Amino acid sequence: MKSLFDFEEIKAIIEQKPFEVRHGKDQRKIYDSAKGNARLAVMMAIIAKETNKLESLNNVADLFEQYFETFVSDEDAFKDKRILKALGIISFFYTLPYDDNELLNSVASSFSISSDELREAFDKLHSLDLVELNYEHVRIGEQNLSTYFFYKVFIKDKLLSFAQLWNNYFDQLEYRFKDTVYPMYQNFGKEVIIKEIKPILASYWLTIKSDEEKAFRFYNFSWEFLPDECIIYLEKRISLLDTVTAD
């Protein structure tokens, strides 16, 4: 399946039933806001049809806020910080064992909550069809949903600490940061994301810069967030190699 669609392709999708978004201005706004992402475009088309609030959606974060306000049956669930924290956690890990007490306790304690609270929140989210409970595992299945709640919990509302997440899990789960931070960076405002995470990455760098393997792994991930620092580090490494060659 294509990852991004052009305007004519998005237009063809959203002007059909059941969406029937046929006004050119609305079609263009949906395309520009969704940036070619068909799933986001469909969400916006649904909101346009059901609420007539398309004009109030200025970014992808507004889209998700309006979508859940409109279509989730239990609005109070999103006022419960325990529910939101659980969404943030599962958005990062993607899947967690529901009945593995040792692992779930470890994850829960790293965010200063109890595993029982985490399970209760997962049960509630399952009843709202926001997570899946299959084969004794809980998982979040929709990528856009996952990206939004990761952004909301760790960056926008700061219900959980991104610094704590980074320091506890980057060494073990670098790939999960790639799967969560990069999409968030693309969808929710590059300047906003850099402002929030750059100090955390810069602080972490000071603790590992003398370890060559960790340094390369770190900059392989974070060069887009710390480009100047990355260039300086690489120049120093090249300079050292030149010195060794000359000797």
Side-chain angles (χ1 to χ4, degrees), residues 5-246:
F5 291 70
D6 63 28
F7 174 71
E8 291 300 326
E9 290 171 319
I10 293 292
K11 177 175 175 289
I13 294 170
I14 63 177
E15 66 184 5
Q16 296 176 8
K17 292 183 178 181
F19 315 116
E20 299 178 280
V21 178
R22 298 198 171 102
H23 193 286
K25 183 180 178 181
D26 290 343
Q27 292 173 345
R28 177 57 66 175
K29 181 177 180 63
I30 287 174
Y31 174 74
D32 290 343
S33 298
K35 299 176 182 177
N37 185 311
R39 289 181 176 178
L40 293 183
V42 166
M43 288 177 68
M44 293 191 75
I46 292 171
I47 289 173
K49 183 175 182 179
E50 295 294 328
T51 71
N52 200 30
K53 292 182 178 180
L54 189 61
E55 286 301 319
S56 67
L57 305 181
N58 296 312
N59 52 51
V60 177
D62 288 346
L63 162 63
F64 278 97
E65 295 282 0
Q66 184 63 58
Y67 186 86
F68 290 115
E69 179 183 314
T70 305
F71 296 105
V72 173
S73 58
D74 187 350
E75 293 181 9
D76 290 337
F78 294 106
K79 298 175 184 177
D80 188 332
K81 290 183 179 179
R82 293 173 300 176
I83 299 293
L84 290 170
K85 286 178 181 180
L87 271 168
I89 290 169
I90 197 61
S91 292
F92 173 72
F93 288 97
Y94 176 67
T95 184
L96 284 170
Y98 184 84
D99 293 322
D100 186 330
N101 289 324
E102 183 177 354
L103 181 54
L104 211 58
N105 281 334
S106 174
V107 169
S109 64
S110 71
F111 296 104
S112 302
I113 58 179
S114 74
S115 57
D116 286 340
E117 285 180 316
L118 201 53
R119 281 196 189 89
E120 288 175 8
F122 288 155
D123 289 341
K124 179 64 175 179
L125 291 168
H126 179 55
S127 73
L128 295 172
D129 294 324
L130 292 174
V131 301
E132 301 170 7
L133 278 173
N134 293 317
Y135 305 107
E136 301 179 345
H137 282 73
V138 58
R139 67 188 289 267
I140 188 163
E142 217 291 313
Q143 178 63 47
N144 292 313
L145 176 71
S146 175
T147 301
Y148 168 68
F149 279 111
F150 183 83
Y151 161 76
K152 181 176 177 63
V153 172
F154 285 99
I155 303 298
K156 182 175 182 283
D157 294 345
K158 296 182 175 65
L159 298 176
L160 294 173
S161 166
F162 182 82
Q164 196 171 4
L165 179 75
W166 179 272
N167 292 325
N168 285 339
Y169 292 106
F170 179 72
D171 277 349
Q172 311 157 249
L173 298 172
E174 178 186 351
Y175 72 99
R176 287 304 307 150
F177 283 93
K178 290 180 179 178
D179 288 347
T180 51
V181 174
Y182 286 169
M184 174 180 70
Y185 175 66
Q186 293 296 328
N187 286 316
F188 296 108
K190 293 183 178 181
E191 291 183 3
V192 172
I193 303 305
I194 288 176
K195 179 183 177 181
E196 293 294 334
I197 72 173
K198 185 174 181 177
I200 295 164
L201 301 184
S203 177
Y204 176 80
W205 166 244
L206 295 177
T207 69
I208 57 96
K209 64 181 181 179
S210 60
D211 185 317
E212 184 174 318
E213 181 181 350
K214 286 186 177 182
F216 273 107
R217 282 185 60 218
F218 172 75
Y219 275 127
N220 183 52
F221 171 85
S222 60
W223 66 268
E224 196 161 357
F225 309 109
L226 299 171
D228 295 338
E229 293 86 343
C230 182
I231 290 170
I232 291 170
Y233 174 75
L234 292 175
E235 286 177 343
K236 287 181 177 179
R237 296 302 305 170
I238 292 169
S239 177
L240 287 173
L241 289 174
D242 289 342
T243 301
V244 171
T245 303

